[in-house]
PDB file of all heavy atoms in Angstrom:
ATOM      1  N   LEU D   1      -7.678   6.819  -4.549  1.00 81.00           N
ATOM      2  CA  LEU D   1      -6.366   6.550  -5.137  1.00 81.00           C
ATOM      3  C   LEU D   1      -5.840   5.169  -4.758  1.00 81.00           C
ATOM      4  O   LEU D   1      -4.924   4.658  -5.410  1.00 81.00           O
ATOM      5  CB  LEU D   1      -5.354   7.626  -4.699  1.00 81.00           C
ATOM      6  CG  LEU D   1      -5.508   9.003  -5.356  1.00 81.00           C
ATOM      7  CD1 LEU D   1      -4.609  10.023  -4.665  1.00 81.00           C
ATOM      8  CD2 LEU D   1      -5.174   8.933  -6.840  1.00 81.00           C
ATOM      9  N   VAL D   2      -6.406   4.570  -3.719  1.00 83.00           N
ATOM     10  CA  VAL D   2      -5.997   3.206  -3.364  1.00 83.00           C
ATOM     11  C   VAL D   2      -6.279   2.246  -4.521  1.00 83.00           C
ATOM     12  O   VAL D   2      -5.562   1.259  -4.714  1.00 83.00           O
ATOM     13  CB  VAL D   2      -6.711   2.741  -2.066  1.00 83.00           C
ATOM     14  CG1 VAL D   2      -8.194   2.488  -2.319  1.00 83.00           C
ATOM     15  CG2 VAL D   2      -6.042   1.499  -1.499  1.00 83.00           C
ATOM     16  N   LEU D   3      -7.308   2.534  -5.320  1.00 80.00           N
ATOM     17  CA  LEU D   3      -7.628   1.669  -6.463  1.00 80.00           C
ATOM     18  C   LEU D   3      -6.554   1.730  -7.537  1.00 80.00           C
ATOM     19  O   LEU D   3      -6.389   0.797  -8.321  1.00 80.00           O
ATOM     20  CB  LEU D   3      -8.975   2.075  -7.072  1.00 80.00           C
ATOM     21  CG  LEU D   3     -10.211   1.941  -6.176  1.00 80.00           C
ATOM     22  CD1 LEU D   3     -11.435   2.509  -6.887  1.00 80.00           C
ATOM     23  CD2 LEU D   3     -10.442   0.493  -5.792  1.00 80.00           C
ATOM     24  N   PHE D   4      -5.822   2.841  -7.593  1.00 82.00           N
ATOM     25  CA  PHE D   4      -4.849   3.035  -8.663  1.00 82.00           C
ATOM     26  C   PHE D   4      -3.647   2.104  -8.509  1.00 82.00           C
ATOM     27  O   PHE D   4      -3.113   1.620  -9.500  1.00 82.00           O
ATOM     28  CB  PHE D   4      -4.348   4.480  -8.675  1.00 82.00           C
ATOM     29  CG  PHE D   4      -5.342   5.489  -9.164  1.00 82.00           C
ATOM     30  CD1 PHE D   4      -6.646   5.492  -8.709  1.00 82.00           C
ATOM     31  CD2 PHE D   4      -4.974   6.457 -10.074  1.00 82.00           C
ATOM     32  CE1 PHE D   4      -7.569   6.432  -9.138  1.00 82.00           C
ATOM     33  CE2 PHE D   4      -5.878   7.406 -10.519  1.00 82.00           C
ATOM     34  CZ  PHE D   4      -7.184   7.387 -10.050  1.00 82.00           C
ATOM     35  N   SER D   5      -3.192   1.898  -7.295  1.00 85.00           N
ATOM     36  CA  SER D   5      -1.928   1.189  -7.112  1.00 85.00           C
ATOM     37  C   SER D   5      -1.987   0.048  -6.117  1.00 85.00           C
ATOM     38  O   SER D   5      -0.957  -0.555  -5.828  1.00 85.00           O
ATOM     39  CB  SER D   5      -0.826   2.175  -6.694  1.00 85.00           C
ATOM     40  OG  SER D   5      -1.249   2.988  -5.618  1.00 85.00           O
ATOM     41  N   ILE D   6      -3.172  -0.293  -5.578  1.00 85.00           N
ATOM     42  CA  ILE D   6      -3.239  -1.386  -4.613  1.00 85.00           C
ATOM     43  C   ILE D   6      -2.783  -2.697  -5.252  1.00 85.00           C
ATOM     44  O   ILE D   6      -2.114  -3.513  -4.606  1.00 85.00           O
ATOM     45  CB  ILE D   6      -4.662  -1.517  -4.023  1.00 85.00           C
ATOM     46  CG1 ILE D   6      -4.667  -2.505  -2.859  1.00 85.00           C
ATOM     47  CG2 ILE D   6      -5.688  -1.901  -5.087  1.00 85.00           C
ATOM     48  CD1 ILE D   6      -5.981  -2.530  -2.092  1.00 85.00           C
ATOM     49  N   GLY D   7      -3.110  -2.895  -6.531  1.00 84.00           N
ATOM     50  CA  GLY D   7      -2.704  -4.108  -7.211  1.00 84.00           C
ATOM     51  C   GLY D   7      -1.210  -4.176  -7.446  1.00 84.00           C
ATOM     52  O   GLY D   7      -0.578  -5.216  -7.225  1.00 84.00           O
ATOM     53  N   ALA D   8      -0.612  -3.069  -7.880  1.00 87.00           N
ATOM     54  CA  ALA D   8       0.824  -3.053  -8.157  1.00 87.00           C
ATOM     55  C   ALA D   8       1.634  -3.228  -6.877  1.00 87.00           C
ATOM     56  O   ALA D   8       2.645  -3.947  -6.863  1.00 87.00           O
ATOM     57  CB  ALA D   8       1.203  -1.747  -8.848  1.00 87.00           C
ATOM     58  N   VAL D   9       1.209  -2.561  -5.797  1.00 90.00           N
ATOM     59  CA  VAL D   9       1.910  -2.725  -4.510  1.00 90.00           C
ATOM     60  C   VAL D   9       1.801  -4.171  -4.043  1.00 90.00           C
ATOM     61  O   VAL D   9       2.784  -4.781  -3.608  1.00 90.00           O
ATOM     62  CB  VAL D   9       1.324  -1.763  -3.450  1.00 90.00           C
ATOM     63  CG1 VAL D   9       1.864  -2.101  -2.061  1.00 90.00           C
ATOM     64  CG2 VAL D   9       1.673  -0.320  -3.796  1.00 90.00           C
ATOM     65  N   ALA D  10       0.607  -4.749  -4.130  1.00 87.00           N
ATOM     66  CA  ALA D  10       0.403  -6.126  -3.688  1.00 87.00           C
ATOM     67  C   ALA D  10       1.231  -7.107  -4.516  1.00 87.00           C
ATOM     68  O   ALA D  10       1.825  -8.045  -3.983  1.00 87.00           O
ATOM     69  CB  ALA D  10      -1.077  -6.485  -3.770  1.00 87.00           C
ATOM     70  N   SER D  11       1.292  -6.874  -5.829  1.00 85.00           N
ATOM     71  CA  SER D  11       2.033  -7.776  -6.703  1.00 85.00           C
ATOM     72  C   SER D  11       3.533  -7.739  -6.434  1.00 85.00           C
ATOM     73  O   SER D  11       4.225  -8.739  -6.621  1.00 85.00           O
ATOM     74  CB  SER D  11       1.767  -7.419  -8.168  1.00 85.00           C
ATOM     75  OG  SER D  11       0.411  -7.586  -8.493  1.00 85.00           O
ATOM     76  N   ALA D  12       4.032  -6.601  -6.008  1.00 88.00           N
ATOM     77  CA  ALA D  12       5.464  -6.469  -5.742  1.00 88.00           C
ATOM     78  C   ALA D  12       5.825  -6.822  -4.305  1.00 88.00           C
ATOM     79  O   ALA D  12       6.878  -7.410  -4.047  1.00 88.00           O
ATOM     80  CB  ALA D  12       5.918  -5.042  -6.049  1.00 88.00           C
ATOM     81  N   ALA D  13       4.959  -6.454  -3.356  1.00 90.00           N
ATOM     82  CA  ALA D  13       5.288  -6.614  -1.936  1.00 90.00           C
ATOM     83  C   ALA D  13       4.846  -7.953  -1.374  1.00 90.00           C
ATOM     84  O   ALA D  13       5.444  -8.457  -0.417  1.00 90.00           O
ATOM     85  CB  ALA D  13       4.652  -5.484  -1.129  1.00 90.00           C
ATOM     86  N   GLY D  14       3.767  -8.531  -1.907  1.00 88.00           N
ATOM     87  CA  GLY D  14       3.275  -9.786  -1.371  1.00 88.00           C
ATOM     88  C   GLY D  14       2.645  -9.614  -0.003  1.00 88.00           C
ATOM     89  O   GLY D  14       1.813  -8.732   0.212  1.00 88.00           O
ATOM     90  N   ASN D  15       3.069 -10.414   0.956  1.00 90.00           N
ATOM     91  CA  ASN D  15       2.418 -10.461   2.268  1.00 90.00           C
ATOM     92  C   ASN D  15       2.616  -9.210   3.118  1.00 90.00           C
ATOM     93  O   ASN D  15       1.939  -9.049   4.130  1.00 90.00           O
ATOM     94  CB  ASN D  15       2.926 -11.674   3.056  1.00 90.00           C
ATOM     95  CG  ASN D  15       2.420 -12.980   2.479  1.00 90.00           C
ATOM     96  OD1 ASN D  15       1.419 -13.006   1.767  1.00 90.00           O
ATOM     97  ND2 ASN D  15       3.115 -14.076   2.759  1.00 90.00           N
ATOM     98  N   ILE D  16       3.518  -8.332   2.737  1.00 93.00           N
ATOM     99  CA  ILE D  16       3.725  -7.119   3.532  1.00 93.00           C
ATOM    100  C   ILE D  16       2.952  -5.928   2.962  1.00 93.00           C
ATOM    101  O   ILE D  16       3.093  -4.805   3.450  1.00 93.00           O
ATOM    102  CB  ILE D  16       5.227  -6.750   3.630  1.00 93.00           C
ATOM    103  CG1 ILE D  16       5.774  -6.325   2.253  1.00 93.00           C
ATOM    104  CG2 ILE D  16       6.042  -7.904   4.206  1.00 93.00           C
ATOM    105  CD1 ILE D  16       7.160  -5.691   2.323  1.00 93.00           C
ATOM    106  N   SER D  17       2.113  -6.165   1.952  1.00 92.00           N
ATOM    107  CA  SER D  17       1.512  -5.035   1.235  1.00 92.00           C
ATOM    108  C   SER D  17       0.614  -4.182   2.128  1.00 92.00           C
ATOM    109  O   SER D  17       0.648  -2.949   2.052  1.00 92.00           O
ATOM    110  CB  SER D  17       0.729  -5.529   0.017  1.00 92.00           C
ATOM    111  OG  SER D  17      -0.323  -6.390   0.388  1.00 92.00           O
ATOM    112  N   SER D  18      -0.211  -4.783   2.984  1.00 92.00           N
ATOM    113  CA  SER D  18      -1.088  -3.967   3.836  1.00 92.00           C
ATOM    114  C   SER D  18      -0.277  -3.143   4.821  1.00 92.00           C
ATOM    115  O   SER D  18      -0.637  -2.010   5.143  1.00 92.00           O
ATOM    116  CB  SER D  18      -2.093  -4.852   4.576  1.00 92.00           C
ATOM    117  OG  SER D  18      -1.439  -5.809   5.396  1.00 92.00           O
ATOM    118  N   ALA D  19       0.850  -3.684   5.301  1.00 94.00           N
ATOM    119  CA  ALA D  19       1.717  -2.930   6.208  1.00 94.00           C
ATOM    120  C   ALA D  19       2.351  -1.744   5.484  1.00 94.00           C
ATOM    121  O   ALA D  19       2.561  -0.679   6.084  1.00 94.00           O
ATOM    122  CB  ALA D  19       2.799  -3.837   6.789  1.00 94.00           C
ATOM    123  N   VAL D  20       2.666  -1.920   4.205  1.00 95.00           N
ATOM    124  CA  VAL D  20       3.208  -0.816   3.407  1.00 95.00           C
ATOM    125  C   VAL D  20       2.227   0.351   3.393  1.00 95.00           C
ATOM    126  O   VAL D  20       2.612   1.508   3.589  1.00 95.00           O
ATOM    127  CB  VAL D  20       3.516  -1.292   1.971  1.00 95.00           C
ATOM    128  CG1 VAL D  20       3.775  -0.101   1.047  1.00 95.00           C
ATOM    129  CG2 VAL D  20       4.714  -2.235   1.957  1.00 95.00           C
ATOM    130  N   TRP D  21       0.956   0.045   3.161  1.00 94.00           N
ATOM    131  CA  TRP D  21      -0.050   1.109   3.104  1.00 94.00           C
ATOM    132  C   TRP D  21      -0.199   1.827   4.441  1.00 94.00           C
ATOM    133  O   TRP D  21      -0.288   3.057   4.493  1.00 94.00           O
ATOM    134  CB  TRP D  21      -1.403   0.525   2.681  1.00 94.00           C
ATOM    135  CG  TRP D  21      -1.452   0.194   1.223  1.00 94.00           C
ATOM    136  CD1 TRP D  21      -1.351  -1.053   0.657  1.00 94.00           C
ATOM    137  CD2 TRP D  21      -1.591   1.105   0.135  1.00 94.00           C
ATOM    138  NE1 TRP D  21      -1.425  -0.962  -0.706  1.00 94.00           N
ATOM    139  CE2 TRP D  21      -1.576   0.341  -1.059  1.00 94.00           C
ATOM    140  CE3 TRP D  21      -1.736   2.482   0.055  1.00 94.00           C
ATOM    141  CZ2 TRP D  21      -1.702   0.931  -2.310  1.00 94.00           C
ATOM    142  CZ3 TRP D  21      -1.871   3.066  -1.201  1.00 94.00           C
ATOM    143  CH2 TRP D  21      -1.848   2.294  -2.363  1.00 94.00           C
ATOM    144  N   MET D  22      -0.212   1.091   5.532  1.00 94.00           N
ATOM    145  CA  MET D  22      -0.378   1.724   6.841  1.00 94.00           C
ATOM    146  C   MET D  22       0.826   2.581   7.206  1.00 94.00           C
ATOM    147  O   MET D  22       0.678   3.690   7.734  1.00 94.00           O
ATOM    148  CB  MET D  22      -0.627   0.653   7.905  1.00 94.00           C
ATOM    149  CG  MET D  22      -2.015   0.032   7.812  1.00 94.00           C
ATOM    150  SD  MET D  22      -2.403  -1.111   9.165  1.00 94.00           S
ATOM    151  CE  MET D  22      -1.506  -2.563   8.621  1.00 94.00           C
ATOM    152  N   LEU D  23       2.032   2.090   6.922  1.00 95.00           N
ATOM    153  CA  LEU D  23       3.238   2.872   7.209  1.00 95.00           C
ATOM    154  C   LEU D  23       3.266   4.134   6.362  1.00 95.00           C
ATOM    155  O   LEU D  23       3.583   5.234   6.854  1.00 95.00           O
ATOM    156  CB  LEU D  23       4.477   2.017   6.939  1.00 95.00           C
ATOM    157  CG  LEU D  23       5.838   2.708   7.132  1.00 95.00           C
ATOM    158  CD1 LEU D  23       5.971   3.275   8.541  1.00 95.00           C
ATOM    159  CD2 LEU D  23       6.982   1.740   6.814  1.00 95.00           C
ATOM    160  N   SER D  24       2.923   4.020   5.085  1.00 95.00           N
ATOM    161  CA  SER D  24       2.926   5.177   4.197  1.00 95.00           C
ATOM    162  C   SER D  24       1.901   6.215   4.647  1.00 95.00           C
ATOM    163  O   SER D  24       2.167   7.421   4.640  1.00 95.00           O
ATOM    164  CB  SER D  24       2.629   4.723   2.765  1.00 95.00           C
ATOM    165  OG  SER D  24       2.690   5.800   1.864  1.00 95.00           O
ATOM    166  N   MET D  25       0.724   5.751   5.061  1.00 93.00           N
ATOM    167  CA  MET D  25      -0.311   6.682   5.517  1.00 93.00           C
ATOM    168  C   MET D  25       0.113   7.395   6.794  1.00 93.00           C
ATOM    169  O   MET D  25      -0.168   8.590   6.983  1.00 93.00           O
ATOM    170  CB  MET D  25      -1.616   5.906   5.750  1.00 93.00           C
ATOM    171  CG  MET D  25      -2.823   6.781   6.043  1.00 93.00           C
ATOM    172  SD  MET D  25      -3.294   7.845   4.672  1.00 93.00           S
ATOM    173  CE  MET D  25      -3.105   9.460   5.406  1.00 93.00           C
ATOM    174  N   LEU D  26       0.814   6.688   7.681  1.00 92.00           N
ATOM    175  CA  LEU D  26       1.309   7.306   8.914  1.00 92.00           C
ATOM    176  C   LEU D  26       2.291   8.422   8.601  1.00 92.00           C
ATOM    177  O   LEU D  26       2.228   9.518   9.184  1.00 92.00           O
ATOM    178  CB  LEU D  26       1.973   6.251   9.797  1.00 92.00           C
ATOM    179  CG  LEU D  26       2.624   6.752  11.089  1.00 92.00           C
ATOM    180  CD1 LEU D  26       1.588   7.375  12.013  1.00 92.00           C
ATOM    181  CD2 LEU D  26       3.365   5.620  11.800  1.00 92.00           C
ATOM    182  N   ILE D  27       3.202   8.174   7.672  1.00 95.00           N
ATOM    183  CA  ILE D  27       4.159   9.211   7.267  1.00 95.00           C
ATOM    184  C   ILE D  27       3.424  10.420   6.695  1.00 95.00           C
ATOM    185  O   ILE D  27       3.705  11.566   7.041  1.00 95.00           O
ATOM    186  CB  ILE D  27       5.159   8.643   6.233  1.00 95.00           C
ATOM    187  CG1 ILE D  27       6.011   7.526   6.854  1.00 95.00           C
ATOM    188  CG2 ILE D  27       6.074   9.753   5.699  1.00 95.00           C
ATOM    189  CD1 ILE D  27       6.855   6.769   5.838  1.00 95.00           C
ATOM    190  N   GLY D  28       2.458  10.163   5.819  1.00 91.00           N
ATOM    191  CA  GLY D  28       1.710  11.253   5.202  1.00 91.00           C
ATOM    192  C   GLY D  28       0.942  12.087   6.215  1.00 91.00           C
ATOM    193  O   GLY D  28       0.874  13.317   6.096  1.00 91.00           O
TER     194      GLY D  28
END
């Protein structure tokens, strides 16, 4: 599922995108 939205998250978040993924995974 990372393939589905990695581009959209990166395009919106910019340099914080990888941190977004790690924080979201921690919550999950």
Side-chain angles (χ1 to χ4, degrees):
L1 286 170
V2 71
L3 297 175
F4 288 47
S5 50
I6 189 171
V9 170
S11 297
N15 290 339
I16 67 169
S17 61
S18 59
V20 167
W21 285 103
M22 287 186 282
L23 177 57
S24 183
M25 188 65 241
L26 176 62
I27 296 171

